[in-house]
Amino acid sequence: MTDKNTIPSSADKILEAATLLFAHDTFSSVSIKKIAAASGVNSALISYYFGGKKNLYQEVLYTQAEKFLKLQNTIRARKESPLSKLRIYVDSIAEMQQAQPYNIHLIYRELLSPQPMFENYVRNKLYRIHQFMSELVDEAIACGEIRTNIKSTHVAFTLEGIIMFFFLTQRQIRDIGNFSKGAEMDYLLQALNTYLSSLSDSEEAQNA
């Protein structure tokens, strides 16, 4: 994506429009014509810049996944303990989704029903998002910050599930929970950190 102070190119406009359309509808339902209309460019430019709808969809997925992978690199470089890094990671993912909620819809759709031609994407990109969280849990267990019999990958699934469910149902959660504007995000962060705290306190609770 372009900087806020620069004029977006036709390719940027196409990518942004396609991201929103694919987030709200299936691959087969989003046509070249719809993408062209939403981006305000000639449909021929979609083939010119991206080589067709399949390649454009792949670029949309890569662009969204790259945000997570860049976040991972940032977290790896930090000097905090594994548990602190894990807290920062899950909080950062939640905040990133709050800013761009369509990320989770794209990822969720690919996890549930991946397009056959993009199975490698699901394995190589989406699983790396999950694997990094599992690695942080393993490191936290190894240094004694987390004490649990739950497998690290299951801890990661639980954290991801909390985040995913929240953003897929955010509007309903806001209404049902009667949250003031923005307060539902505080609830999510509290829920994530409460779960992490329960893992670090689990041994003491079992021995009490």
Side-chain angles (χ1 to χ4, degrees):
M1 294 297 177
T2 58
D3 186 87
K4 290 181 179 180
N5 296 321
T6 62
I7 300 173
S9 67
S10 294
D12 291 321
K13 291 177 181 177
I14 292 168
L15 187 61
E16 183 174 356
T19 300
L20 291 173
L21 288 170
F22 285 130
H24 291 93
D25 216 335
T26 63
F27 173 79
S28 58
S29 298
V30 177
S31 66
I32 291 289
K33 185 176 180 180
K34 285 182 180 179
I35 297 170
S39 59
V41 304
N42 189 297
S43 60
L45 290 177
I46 295 174
S47 293
Y48 176 78
Y49 285 115
F50 299 98
K53 189 173 78 165
K54 289 181 181 179
N55 288 345
L56 174 57
Y57 183 64
Q58 179 173 279
E59 186 63 26
V60 166
L61 294 176
Y62 281 174
T63 299
Q64 299 309 310
E66 194 61 30
K67 295 175 183 178
F68 289 94
L69 300 182
K70 286 181 178 178
L71 173 61
Q72 290 179 8
N73 290 334
T74 299
I75 300 297
R76 282 192 182 98
R78 297 181 71 103
K79 302 300 182 181
E80 286 93 343
S81 69
L83 182 57
S84 294
K85 287 183 179 181
L86 182 59
R87 290 181 187 276
I88 294 167
Y89 187 50
V90 296
D91 288 357
S92 297
I93 289 176
E95 290 169 0
M96 188 163 59
Q97 294 306 314
Q98 177 75 354
Q100 298 177 322
Y102 47 77
N103 283 350
I104 208 77
H105 294 272
L106 286 163
I107 292 171
Y108 184 71
R109 182 173 291 119
E110 279 302 308
L111 285 173
L112 284 183
S113 55
Q115 294 296 318
M117 59 279 201
F118 298 123
E119 287 183 357
N120 285 337
Y121 165 84
V122 174
R123 286 195 293 268
N124 296 331
K125 297 289 185 180
L126 295 187
Y127 287 178
R128 284 172 64 186
I129 297 171
H130 167 79
Q131 187 60 32
F132 180 66
M133 194 175 289
S134 297
E135 290 171 1
L136 290 176
V137 174
D138 278 330
E139 292 175 12
I141 290 173
C143 70
E145 287 189 303
I146 288 180
R147 292 173 288 274
T148 179
N149 293 324
I150 305 174
K151 292 181 179 180
S152 60
T153 189
H154 295 173
V155 173
F157 278 139
T158 300
L159 292 168
E160 291 158 355
I162 293 170
I163 295 170
M164 188 170 291
F165 179 80
F166 176 85
F167 283 104
L168 288 174
T169 62
Q170 186 175 4
R171 183 176 300 175
Q172 291 84 350
I173 286 175
R174 184 183 298 122
D175 294 340
I176 295 172
N178 195 27
F179 291 110
S180 58
K181 187 175 181 180
E184 70 275 9
M185 187 66 179
D186 293 334
Y187 156 76
L188 172 61
L189 297 180
Q190 288 172 3
L192 290 168
N193 283 287
T194 296
Y195 176 65
L196 288 173
S197 295
S198 73
L199 297 176
S200 60
D201 295 338
S202 59
E203 186 177 80
E204 288 85 346
Q206 292 171 2
N207 294 333

